[in-house]
Amino acid sequence: THSFHYHSNKSSTVVGDLGRGINNSIESPSSDWRFNRSLSNIIRKSILKFLDAEKDISVLKGNLKPGDTIHYIFDRESTMNVSETLYQLIPKVSPMKKQHYRQCAIVGNSGILLKSRCGAEIDSHDFVIRCNLAPVEEYRADVGRRTSLVTMNPSVVQRAFQDLASSHWRERFLERLSSLNGSVLWIPSFMAKGGEERVQWASELILRHGINVRTAFPSLRLLHAVRGYWLTNKVPIKRPTTGLLMYTLATRFCEEIHLYGFWPFSLGPNGLPVKYHYYDSLTYEYRAQSSPHSMPVEFRALKRLHSQGALKLHTGECN
Ligand code: CTP
């Protein structure tokens, strides 16, 4: 198998400096960055040995039935049942079947996006992936608003929509989903325990109000497969973040992948403070303690791929 880890060319020597200076700007002048189509093809093929995003992006109606018991991927001792409601939202065919795009944007939720004015550039991609139903309207100059696929960890229902406890929050949730206009809503409902009721409430609302979204629920093997791919390439991650999962999946159906809003550090390239999220007051310190992720490790891997031209990390302002 290939290993981009050892891939050596002039630019990849830059990667050796990563441990020392995370706050160095990674933004080489745009003219310096060239898409490396052959490396990107190698990566796509190599990931395909571990998973097939077309299939693993969602379980299908044929794989499950109502009443089935599922062991959570990260909490094996806990189980959930596939409810009748959830079953109704499971697709019959993969929402990404036979889909191919030239340029995709994956938008992470870092505060690095604030004042970036990257909205129009992000929206100009053929396919735009966003994470955790992050708000767009009030930030659209910086983050854009176009959304082809958006993820929703069950915890988002609690964190951003107060567990849909009042009609106000149910309304806001429904508005956000309606604004998706038929895009893919990707809900990792089988990963960690604690989200069963939240997925249930969300699903009931979607069905009751006939919300136009294409729901998808990642396959039971996706997590292990993604982790396996990165481990094989010497990137030791316990639990891949949503952002890294999206990149790994996107290699299947995107030619050129551009990442925005990936910056898991409290200081920006220019040494100024950066918010953990562009849209709320969660602090980086808080997330570092409570999160099972190793974002800086992931970031170093992404930065290496950027320097090799396999993807483009945007961390500066857009024109
Ligand atoms: N991200 C980043 N830097 C930040 C915040 C987020 O690089 N300061 C990226 C991560 O890849 C993350 C994605 O943006 O998965 C979406 O952010 P968020 O919704 O905050 O994800 P988390 O809830 O932190 O983590 P996850 O959903 O992966 O459990």
Side-chain angles (χ1 to χ4, degrees):
T1 61
H2 87 288
S3 170
F4 57 77
H5 197 77
Y6 298 118
H7 182 86
S8 75
N9 61 21
K10 201 157 145 270
S11 59
S12 72
T13 56
V14 172
V15 176
D17 293 328
L18 274 170
R20 267 178 269 150
I22 51 165
N23 293 328
N24 292 343
S25 173
I26 65 155
E27 202 83 348
S28 44
S30 293
S31 53
D32 276 9
W33 184 88
R34 272 250 172 77
F35 178 52
N36 184 339
R37 188 175 307 277
S38 55
L39 179 58
S40 155
N41 287 341
I42 289 171
I43 291 172
R44 175 177 310 106
K45 280 193 193 132
S46 169
I47 291 176
L48 261 169
K49 291 186 185 140
F50 290 80
L51 62 126
D52 180 350
E54 216 177 86
K55 297 205 174 76
D56 289 309
I57 196 159
S58 186
V59 292
L60 300 179
K61 276 213 162 76
N63 313 141
L64 286 175
K65 52 184 190 317
D68 279 356
T69 301
I70 289 177
H71 285 259
Y72 288 105
I73 294 153
F74 289 120
D75 305 289
R76 294 292 306 162
E77 75 292 350
S78 303
T79 58
M80 64 168 283
N81 289 312
V82 178
S83 70
E84 192 64 59
T85 314
L86 178 62
Y87 182 76
Q88 286 189 53
L89 289 179
I90 292 175
K92 279 202 193 92
V93 292
S94 167
M96 292 311 295
K97 189 171 177 174
K98 299 216 169 106
Q99 301 218 31
H100 295 283
Y101 300 92
R102 204 172 73 73
Q103 288 194 319
C104 298
I106 305 178
V107 187
N109 287 334
S110 168
I112 194 93
L113 281 164
L114 291 170
K115 301 213 177 90
S116 70
R117 310 216 50 93
C118 285
E121 187 177 308
I122 290 173
D123 283 355
S124 73
H125 290 75
D126 305 309
F127 195 84
V128 180
I129 299 177
R130 298 182 191 270
C131 299
N132 285 324
L133 277 187
V136 288
E137 282 305 330
E138 52 275 59
Y139 303 95
R140 65 174 183 266
D142 293 328
V143 311
R145 60 214 292 249
R146 171 154 187 210
T147 303
S148 318
L149 181 153
V150 64
T151 72
M152 185 187 86
N153 286 349
S155 60
V156 169
V157 175
Q158 187 243 326
R159 260 197 265 150
F161 298 96
Q162 305 298 310
D163 268 342
L164 310 172
S166 65
S167 55
H168 169 77
W169 289 106
R170 286 192 290 276
E171 205 50 53
R172 291 203 41 177
F173 183 67
L174 286 169
E175 272 169 24
R176 182 73 185 87
L177 295 186
S178 304
S179 74
L180 294 173
N181 273 321
S183 308
V184 179
L185 176 67
W186 190 82
I187 310 174
S189 49
F190 312 132
M191 291 198 188
K193 68 178 176 191
E196 188 168 4
E197 281 187 301
R198 289 172 181 136
V199 173
Q200 183 66 21
W201 300 330
S203 305
E204 281 168 7
L205 280 178
I206 291 171
L207 286 170
R208 182 154 11 110
H209 294 266
I211 303 291
N212 180 22
V213 282
R214 283 178 289 149
T215 40
F217 305 86
S219 82
L220 298 174
R221 58 188 290 280
L222 177 70
L223 242 296
H224 298 297
V226 168
R227 196 165 51 179
Y229 167 74
W230 291 96
L231 278 176
T232 306
N233 285 284
K234 310 269 186 300
V235 183
I237 36 176
K238 265 196 300 192
R239 278 197 203 188
T241 64
T242 301
L244 192 76
L245 282 172
M246 288 301 120
Y247 167 71
T248 314
L249 290 171
T251 57
R252 173 76 162 93
F253 46 83
C254 301
E255 275 288 303
E256 213 177 290
I257 299 177
H258 292 248
L259 307 187
Y260 296 83
F262 284 67
W263 188 268
F265 309 109
S266 55
L267 294 178
N270 49 12
L272 296 174
V274 171
K275 287 179 70 190
Y276 182 76
H277 280 157
Y278 67 81
Y279 52 88
D280 65 18
S281 53
L282 213 64
T283 63
Y284 184 71
E285 293 71 24
Y286 169 79
R287 279 304 275 166
Q289 289 162 22
S290 65
S291 165
H293 301 307
S294 20
M295 282 196 196
V297 174
E298 291 187 1
F299 187 81
R300 278 194 286 277
L302 295 173
K303 192 165 159 174
R304 190 179 303 125
L305 291 168
H306 167 88
S307 70
Q308 296 171 347
L311 56 80
K312 176 141 190 193
L313 260 175
H314 297 258
T315 56
E317 288 169 20
C318 295
N319 301 322

